[in-house]
Amino acid sequence: MIKNRIISSLRTIITTLLYVIANIAAVFTVDYISADFTIGPEYNAVLIVIVVAIANSLLWPIFRRFMMKIIIFTFGIGSLLLNSIIFYIASLFIPGVSAGIYGVLQVPIVMAIFTTFITNITNTNYYDRYIQSIFKYASKQKTAYKKKYPGLIMVEIDGLSIDTLKKAIEKGVMPNIERWIGENTHTLKGWETDLSSQTGASQAGILHGNNTDIVAYRWVEKENNNKIVVSGKLSDATKIEKKISNGEGLLVNGISIANMFSGDSKIPTLTTSKLNKMGNIYNNSLDAVFLDAYNFQRLVVLFLWDIILELTSQLVHYVKNIKPRLRRTITYPPVRAGANVVLREVATDVLTSEILTGHIDTAYATFMGYDEIAHHSGVEDRDVWGTLKKIDQQFSKLTSAIEMSDRDYKLVVLSDHGQSKGATFKQRYGMTLGKYVRKLLPDDLKMFKTEYNIDHFRDAIIPENKQIRNFKERMGDIRGDLFRDFESLQNIREGIEKRKPAIIFENEQYMNLKDRYNNSLDYIKDHETSQQSTKKEKDSELIVLGSGNMGLIYLSQWKERLSYEEIVMLFPDLIPGLVKHSGIGFVLVNSIANGGMIIAENGIYYLESDEVVGENPLEGFGKNAAMHLKRQNSFNNMPDVLVNSFYDSQTDEVCAFEELIGSHGGLGGNQTKPFILYPSEWKDPGELVGSESIYHFLKEEIGNLNS
């Protein structure tokens, strides 16, 4: 015991000396490189370090208390300015020191760089010291009442599939998770996402138990003047949460940190759905990030270092000619650093503070660094392993906080989806999905409002052009018996005709298609698709969106979703042209006669009857693919045509319709295979399919903890 104390004391003394030496070196460095700072006599370097340390200990708590909102509203930049003010005040007490505006800004940052460097090369855990500051802060927040039952801390690693997690464990970059599994304190289990394998749908299901009508990451509201809704957009996330929330979210008595939705938390910290107003940026939980003058400077240093790592990564990918490879824009490095470093460290500090305070019953925080880097570098590129190692280190910090807390907390680690790899559609075929779709539509497609009100069944806005000049005269009943596929179509035709005035009955175009093809599969396989030059592309009323390898095609001149029959009659080249493209696995359209139809080049899957004609287009996409597609087909704001890229099981590749080489959003590969790591004493939940199943599993266990 005495020996351990002596060793610990020596380590503290040596580390402190190294910090002092590093800061002295920093002062000399700024004196050498800056024309706006002079230390005077050399011994002033020592005095500066000592006086700045004293000034920080005296002044920082005062500044922090009265100016915290300014610090938060300036995204921490105010913290750097306050540090500079403290340094300037300290320099006034040292004869011979001269510091201008640039000098007082430079010295604190350079001191932070040198200190962070020493911390890393000596393998000194700065957090061991900072957690003591958080502990003192949390002790002041405690109440006399102590909750006896355990709380639950849930940490999400955004975008990490169970297969990639296992590889990370094998590589030794996630030793904490490896130890928990090895010691049987936690159980690792895979689960399956819904069709829309992306954060918006998954977090809505996990945190609120409801992701109905979240079609993709972004979609179009036709009836709302074709507004494009983005689930991660501040104003849109707020509206989405109002629709999905019933007040019984996972975080009713907890805190939400860096999530898309709040889970009905009353402490939504950096949560997208609650950031629609500037005043919502700040809440008291963020105080934990600024408890000493150095912590935010350290974040700035780590932020800048991550930018250097990203620029180095770009150079390595270029020199080694790693494929597939993205051209990463100048804005990406700071975005990556913000997601990978700043939000990670902030989330850990806030979680630590809440654990030590012991008030909250539940917490859910997202670490999004892996997802961001995997999108741009690759799902299992060397860049991601360092990121996962840093994320795993946060678990040590949280475990330490739980051990120090008066209240017990259980820890769950999970992901919201995985990622699948592969070159993008544009990289493979030289054009975006939108460009290709446009080539399958009439060259001079334009818009006008029809004078007919079709009984509110279809408030149509019909295009007029050279190829289809007058639908009212030339088209037949496009909701009628198109290709004699099923007897059910004949049975409903009479009802259809009663609901819709006979303004587009039997006609030459309809009869030609009917006589030419016996069934829909013949039409798909035999139709010779023509492609247009798209010389008037700008006039097209067409919206094509990408959500990973899921594409959404909206023919936006119609206020409601077009049926399969209507698409065939209006744009006969569109569906055959899509499914015959090698980059596309299948499309989903909704038939007025048969319901959802999954169409590929050589087969059709009828979702309502589970009947397959030809080859099964869902082969290889998972046993629950039809179930997910059938559910999704019932959602509001579905596209006229939903597209899923191919999935090559041999290479384990998809192709995204966005410019991302690690992607998620549809079906195929690891994007639908996230994981959950939960305490081993919990009962086995069985098969977990859909993000709402995770909500019910966690909600039940939270109830068990509280009982």
Side-chain angles (χ1 to χ4, degrees), residues 469-476 503-508:
R469 183 171 300 143
N470 193 330
F471 288 99
K472 299 183 291 296
E473 296 177 359
R474 298 180 60 202
M475 289 190 62
I503 61 172
I504 43 177
F505 259 96
E506 302 289 349
N507 61 79
E508 182 179 353

Side-chain angles (χ1 to χ4, degrees), residues 200 217-219 227-241 260-261 271-276:
Y217 179 72
R218 54 181 70 84
W219 65 87
K227 172 182 168 57
I228 297 177
V229 177
V230 183
S231 55
K233 188 177 178 181
L234 300 184
S235 57
D236 291 341
T238 301
K239 296 175 183 176
I240 293 170
E241 181 164 322
M260 190 173 290
F261 302 112
T271 296
T272 305
S273 63
K274 300 298 182 180
L275 291 178
N276 57 322

